[in-house]
Amino acid sequence: MKYFVLLSLMLALACSVHKLPVPREQEVVQAAKRFPNVTLAELNKGKLLFEQNCHKCHSYHKPNEHTELEWMNIIPLMCSRAKLDNVSQSYILKYVIAFSKQSDRKP
Ligand code: HEC
């Protein structure tokens, strides 16, 4: 019983880290405004890379914290800090832009 409680606690903790939004078809449509041939698979790769690399120095900054233009500046800087290559960088950029804050988006 003791172990069960401990295990549940650990599980809850592990899950709480993964509250990043999951991309769906509507995010593909959103991201396609900037990246015309983007796919759902690419957005999912971006999410995975984000999860693995973007909480080492600070907790996750959610994709909707920044506008598309802000992310265009932040991601290259953070990816160089995280020592990620250009391919990984492009997946992460597509992922965050798919969920970015609306204000500077073209209609
Ligand atoms: C090697 C450490 C490190 C890694 C890895 C890292 N960051 Fe950061 N990040 C920082 C530091 C330090 C700051 C504090 C603000 C600054 O110096 O720009 C920051 C700030 C930020 C901010 C706030 C920027 C602003 O202008 O408000 C965002 C968003 C962000 N990081 C996103 C990311 C993402 C996305 C990743 C994964 C690709 C990532 N970070 C990986 C160190 C890191």
Side-chain angles (χ1 to χ4, degrees), residues 49-63 65-66 70-71 73-84 88-89 92-93 95-96:
L49 286 161
F50 189 105
E51 275 168 4
Q52 291 168 340
N53 296 287
C54 299
H55 67 302
K56 290 177 180 162
C57 307
H58 45 67
S59 56
Y60 292 113
H61 288 263
K62 297 264 169 68
E65 279 176 33
H66 294 280
E70 286 165 355
W71 280 125
N73 292 318
I74 294 169
I75 290 299
L77 174 67
M78 290 301 149
C79 283
S80 75
R81 279 184 171 152
K83 305 208 177 354
L84 289 168
S88 306
Q89 176 177 316
I92 294 176
L93 188 60
Y95 170 66
V96 293

Side-chain angles (χ1 to χ4, degrees), residues 20-38:
L20 294 166
V22 178
R24 291 154 302 164
E25 241 358 273
Q26 79 189 72
E27 279 76 36
V28 178
V29 172
Q30 203 51 259
K33 291 178 185 169
R34 184 168 286 272
F35 306 103
N37 297 317
V38 68

Side-chain angles (χ1 to χ4, degrees), residues 6-17:
L6 202 71
L7 209 72
S8 317
L9 256 162
M10 278 161 66
L11 204 70
L13 209 72
C15 291
S16 69
V17 183

